[in-house]
Amino acid sequence: MDITDAMRAVMKQYQLTEPMVRAIYSGRNRQILNCGPRSEKALVDRGMMHPVNSALTDRGMEVLTALQVAQGITTASAREPIEGVIVTHAGTTKGSLPRHADHSDARAAIQALDNLKLAELTNHFDPEEGADVRGFMVEPRGHGRVDVYWVFAGRIRDHNGNPFKVELQIAADKLSTAGWRIESKSVFCVLAWRPITEIAEEPVTPDGWTPMPVHVHAGDLVEAKTATVNGEPKTITVRVDRTPWLVNRRRTALSDGTGLIPVFTDTLRVVDETSVSPVLPTMEESAAAAKAFFATQPREVLHEEVTYTLQTRQHGGEWQHLYTPHAAKTLDEAQETIDDIKALSEPGGEYRPVEVRRTLTALPHQPAAAADVEPGPVPARKLRSGYRIRIRGDERHVWKVAFDRQTRSLRVYTVPPKGENPEFWAYGMCVKDTVELIAVGPAVDVTGQLVDAAH
């Protein structure tokens, strides 16, 4: 752009640099300004550029008009932007990576964001390295779901590691106004679902992925990504033995006859459909089915504890929990505590002990799963009472396995060789540790005697 003397006078009046002038010209017809971070900050500070929409303000339009008059042109020749289209230029796209430019969900989300600033991206964009990138970025996740990020100085979080809450809320409001459903669990992005009416109007994609809700029948071979708590999801193929259980909006439990596998619902794909498939049950039906299934399964008691808590009430009112430093182990101990409290309290209060029974159980290995516990290295989490193992060079007989929920670790109790304290022969293990299994046998007690024979 050739800068005339008249334009330089305008630039001096409004304290503008040449990059700022080029940025102002890029905002003709209320388009989003194309400029670097420094020019953007300067224009926002001068009230010429909207801090979120990234378009010219009224003052900015006033400056643009002054510059055009000084240059001897009008705004009539400015081109109007095409709505609902991702603009592509020299290997970059605005609002999404170039490889997502043709994705219908990405285009729909960008159109719903209306006039908000869009990040100019390449396929090589890295949130840790794109220092000059600023604006909203849409990533399609399939089946009408998108993740919308606010990118500032190439990052999706501020220098303290916190999310850009204000900008994400603005995007969420825009999408919600356009009919998109917003999930509240996302932190560093807006997780939104496209209106169902829009998805229904589109043809089924040729990649074969089943849209929500997924129809799966017992006997179907399905493919999905595991919904792991720690670690990266992996793709698995499972021949299910029953209709999957919908755990929540995002996760589904698959059953292959040996256990349950949580997967992301929107990644479910039917590879081999054996028959007409019913619709997935509701969450209430899934919960009832799960409860009925586990109620019929025999359980192995890993740990059982009985304690007594105390309750009190005044003058025939409602019973309230009475906090004490330690829970009583026996009924006599609970009664002694009550007697001590009565001796130090005002008359008129009533007290009573309430039994609390805590039982930790696990589903034992069924005969059909015997091949899963053949002699050799096995995961520690598969050990059960009666198994004979080799651990730390010695052969031991397992009589109990306990799981600590706080430390997420196992304690494998083995029969004391000479009747010593059982705690001395308990081995702490991680659930991912492996142990050499020598043989599988019936359950035993702490003395090594068969449980059935002991009772």
Side-chain angles (χ1 to χ4, degrees):
M1 177 188 299
D2 294 329
I3 305 296
T4 65
D5 292 339
M7 292 178 65
R8 292 189 187 281
V10 176
M11 292 168 60
K12 183 177 181 180
Q13 177 185 352
Y14 291 101
Q15 298 180 329
L16 302 176
T17 63
E18 289 191 21
M20 292 163 63
V21 170
R22 288 194 294 270
I24 290 174
Y25 269 78
S26 71
R28 293 187 296 269
N29 301 313
R30 297 293 185 180
Q31 297 182 77
I32 294 174
L33 273 66
N34 183 14
C35 59
R38 290 185 180 180
S39 297
E40 184 171 329
K41 183 178 186 302
L43 291 172
V44 170
D45 291 342
R46 287 163 173 75
M48 301 176 188
M49 179 178 178
H50 195 284
V52 176
N53 295 342
S54 298
L56 288 175
T57 61
D58 292 339
R59 178 174 173 77
M61 292 298 297
E62 174 188 328
V63 175
L64 175 61
T65 302
L67 287 169
Q68 290 176 325
V69 170
Q71 190 183 10
I73 64 173
T74 64
T75 58
S77 60
R79 294 171 55 189
E80 293 287 344
I82 304 174
E83 296 185 359
V85 176
I86 301 176
V87 181
T88 304
H89 177 69
T92 66
T93 54
K94 286 189 175 182
S96 78
L97 301 179
R99 61 174 175 268
H100 297 149
D102 294 329
H103 199 288
S104 61
D105 294 338
R107 292 199 305 269
I110 288 174
Q111 186 172 3
L113 291 175
D114 198 14
N115 61 343
L116 297 185
K117 180 176 178 60
L118 303 177
E120 190 164 333
L121 304 163
T122 69
N123 279 330
H124 303 291
F125 170 69
D126 187 335
E128 301 300 323
E129 298 179 359
D132 295 331
V133 178
R134 180 178 185 272
F136 286 101
M137 177 179 70
V138 177
E139 285 195 354
R141 300 300 186 186
H143 310 296
R145 170 191 164 190
V146 298
D147 290 348
V148 180
Y149 296 88
W150 170 252
V151 183
F152 184 80
R155 301 178 65 87
I156 62 174
R157 61 191 74 188
D158 63 21
H159 62 280
N160 293 321
N162 299 317
F164 296 111
K165 294 183 179 179
V166 175
E167 291 82 358
L168 293 178
Q169 186 59 54
I170 291 172
D173 292 342
K174 285 278 189 180
L175 292 166
S176 180
T177 302
W180 291 61
R181 178 168 56 85
I182 309 300
E183 284 202 14
S184 59
K185 294 182 179 180
S186 54
V187 177
F188 294 103
C189 69
V190 177
L191 197 162
W193 294 86
R194 191 175 173 187
I196 297 177
T197 53
E198 293 186 11
I199 301 175
E201 294 173 356
E202 295 185 357
V204 178
T205 55
D207 56 13
W209 289 94
T210 308
M212 290 289 290
V214 183
H215 300 281
V216 182
H217 188 269
D220 286 352
L221 184 67
V222 299
E223 185 178 84
K225 286 187 178 180
T226 56
T228 54
V229 177
N230 297 314
E232 292 295 327
K234 62 180 180 179
T235 302
I236 59 172
T237 304
V238 177
R239 179 75 70 177
V240 297
D241 67 338
R242 58 173 59 85
T243 301
W245 296 330
L246 192 62
V247 179
N248 53 38
R249 291 175 180 173
R250 294 187 60 196
R251 300 190 180 189
T252 296
L254 302 180
S255 171
D256 61 355
T258 61
L260 299 180
I261 308 168
V263 298
F264 288 113
T265 306
D266 60 359
T267 66
L268 271 177
R269 177 188 177 218
V270 179
V271 180
D272 177 25
E273 187 174 340
T274 57
S275 59
V276 178
S277 305
V279 178
L280 281 173
T282 64
M283 294 182 66
E284 292 76 10
E285 292 171 341
S286 297
K291 185 176 181 180
F293 171 74
F294 286 115
T296 62
Q297 304 301 305
R299 290 177 177 268
E300 176 182 348
V301 177
L302 301 180
H303 175 72
E304 188 171 50
E305 178 185 24
V306 177
T307 58
Y308 293 87
T309 184
L310 304 184
Q311 292 183 341
T312 182
R313 66 178 179 180
Q314 297 292 328
H315 308 295
E318 294 186 358
W319 288 101
Q320 305 289 334
H321 180 69
L322 182 63
Y323 292 94
T324 56
H326 304 287
K329 301 295 184 181
T330 65
L331 189 59
D332 291 340
E333 184 181 340
Q335 190 58 53
E336 289 179 3
T337 304
I338 290 176
D339 294 340
D340 292 340
I341 294 174
K342 284 183 175 180
L344 300 173
S345 304
E346 295 290 335
E350 295 183 71
Y351 304 88
R352 71 179 183 184
V354 178
E355 180 182 288
V356 178
R357 186 178 298 271
R358 296 183 176 88
T359 304
L360 178 63
T361 63
L363 293 175
H365 288 293
Q366 301 299 316
D372 195 32
V373 288
E374 292 181 348
V378 298
R381 60 185 175 81
K382 292 184 178 292
L383 296 179
R384 292 293 184 269
S385 178
Y387 288 13
R388 190 169 293 277
I389 63 174
R390 188 180 305 281
I391 183 169
R392 298 176 188 173
D394 298 321
E395 184 176 323
R396 295 284 181 257
H397 200 182
V398 178
W399 72 275
K400 184 174 72 170
V401 179
F403 178 65
D404 189 327
R405 293 182 181 274
Q406 292 184 341
T407 63
R408 299 186 64 81
S409 61
L410 294 168
R411 286 188 66 80
V412 179
Y413 291 84
T414 60
V415 176
K418 299 180 181 179
E420 304 97 320
N421 186 339
E423 293 293 334
F424 294 158
W425 298 94
Y427 299 87
M429 297 183 187
C430 173
V431 292
K432 295 182 179 179
D433 290 342
T434 58
V435 179
E436 183 182 355
L437 178 63
I438 299 175
V440 176
V444 298
D445 60 16
V446 67
T447 65
Q449 185 179 5
L450 295 181
V451 174
D452 293 340
H455 297 283

